[in-house]
Amino acid sequence: MTTPPTSTTSLRFKRLLLTGAAGVLGRVLRPRLKAYCDVLRLSDLADLGAAAAGEEVSQVPLQDAAAVHGLLAGVDAVVHLGGVSVEAAFDPILQANIVGTYNLYEAARKHGVKRVLFASSNHVTGFYRQDEVLDTNALPRPDGLYGVSKAFGENLARFYFDRYGIETACLRIGSSFAEPKDRRMLATWMSFDDLERLVVSCLTAPLVGYSVVYGMSDNRTQWWDNTKAKHLGYVPQDSSEPFRAAVEARQAPLDYNDPAVLYQGGAFVRTGPFE
């Protein structure tokens, strides 16, 4: 593994907003993003604990338009991780991921916030096969309602850029964990350090426009091609390869009649329905 990132930019923001700050990736980014801003505003429905020096903490439901409007006041840029992050019943996905994302972009428009990093997902394209390699122009093939909501968010971001000039980097995040858990993640894994590199690259790129980039490390097995996102400057430095032997040793032989083995979305392609 490489040495953890240090700041590779002299740019510093007055105030960044991190939504979903109590989630797994929010907890990873919370201490890291503070190095790039004077004030880090944190939001989630879950308890965020006390604000540290240079932090602001808010418990805001994304479906509450007025509350989200207040959350965007005085913000330079947004890292939007908030919402339902797994396959679930439609109503919570609707409220958090669809209504909530609309509320965030409307608030950004009204407050003049010009850059958003939208945490999209590999599940936007989960029904492509694992023997296909996709570039960032790949059309959505969601593997569930969660993926549908992220495809909506990508299209909403496109609209807000074309109509209002709000730049968005849509991060089609793979599997960001301390280490890959199974053979699928040998392709989809992104280290926490590479997550930071991706976020900082998209925050500081001179021009983002509307861009899609896959969130993955420099893995040997690759399903995604970021060539068309090189203008963002993201260069992953970690790889799932050091974990390969252990992953392959502990996982049972693959069943090629299982859709989770055939499709990039893994188990999401057969999760649900929720009644």
Side-chain angles (χ1 to χ4, degrees):
M1 305 295 289
T2 59
T3 301
T6 56
S7 178
T8 56
T9 176
S10 60
L11 291 178
R12 189 170 179 85
F13 298 88
K14 290 183 179 179
R15 179 177 280 104
L16 289 177
L17 170 61
L18 173 63
T19 70
V24 173
L25 299 188
R27 293 195 302 271
V28 169
L29 288 174
R30 179 175 179 172
R32 294 170 184 242
L33 285 182
K34 187 60 189 67
Y36 304 98
C37 61
D38 296 331
V39 177
L40 181 62
R41 180 174 291 170
L42 305 161
S43 172
D44 206 299
L45 274 181
D47 183 19
L48 289 161
E55 291 185 342
E56 299 171 342
V57 171
S58 299
Q59 286 186 286
V60 171
L62 293 171
Q63 61 268 35
D64 184 334
V68 173
H69 179 80
L71 194 62
L72 270 287
V75 167
D76 296 320
V78 181
V79 181
H80 181 44
L81 304 183
V84 176
S85 61
V86 294
E87 185 65 350
F90 181 64
D91 189 63
I93 288 176
L94 169 66
Q95 295 303 320
N97 295 17
I98 294 179
V99 175
T101 301
Y102 168 77
N103 288 341
L104 183 127
Y105 272 95
E106 267 296 278
R109 176 183 71 82
K110 291 174 180 176
H111 284 290
V113 178
K114 289 300 185 181
R115 185 166 296 190
V116 176
L117 273 58
F118 171 61
S120 187
S121 171
N122 72 95
H123 296 291
V124 167
T125 52
F127 261 119
Y128 285 94
R129 289 173 56 97
Q130 293 188 13
D131 56 3
E132 298 178 89
V133 176
L134 314 179
D135 67 17
T136 54
N137 287 341
L139 295 175
R141 290 182 66 177
D143 54 31
L145 296 174
Y146 168 70
V148 168
S149 76
K150 292 301 184 179
F152 169 84
E154 290 188 3
N155 279 282
L156 190 73
R158 168 93 266 184
F159 166 70
Y160 272 83
F161 174 66
D162 289 342
R163 177 72 68 88
Y164 303 114
I166 298 174
E167 294 189 302
T168 295
C170 296
L171 316 181
R172 288 184 178 171
I173 296 171
S175 308
S176 193
F177 294 95
E179 60 184 61
K181 298 180 177 181
D182 55 29
R183 288 170 69 180
R184 175 180 173 273
M185 289 191 190
L186 294 175
T188 64
W189 185 67
M190 178 170 58
S191 71
F192 294 149
D193 289 347
D194 278 341
L195 171 67
E196 179 184 341
R197 292 182 183 102
L198 175 62
V199 168
V200 173
S201 293
C202 292
L203 282 173
T204 60
L207 287 175
V208 168
Y210 170 81
S211 298
V212 172
V213 57
Y214 291 100
M216 60 180 177
S217 285
D218 187 21
N219 304 322
R220 190 186 86 187
T221 302
Q222 295 194 3
W223 301 336
W224 308 318
D225 178 1
N226 271 333
T227 299
K228 294 178 180 177
K230 284 187 176 296
H231 60 287
L232 298 175
Y234 171 53
V235 181
Q237 296 183 28
D238 295 327
S239 171
S240 63
E241 202 57 23
F243 303 99
R244 179 178 293 274
V247 167
E248 292 179 343
R250 67 174 177 258
Q251 185 166 347
L254 300 180
D255 176 4
Y256 292 99
N257 293 313
D258 182 354
V261 172
L262 296 178
Y263 295 103
Q264 294 187 9
F268 274 56
V269 303
R270 50 174 169 72
T271 302
F274 296 87
E275 296 177 354

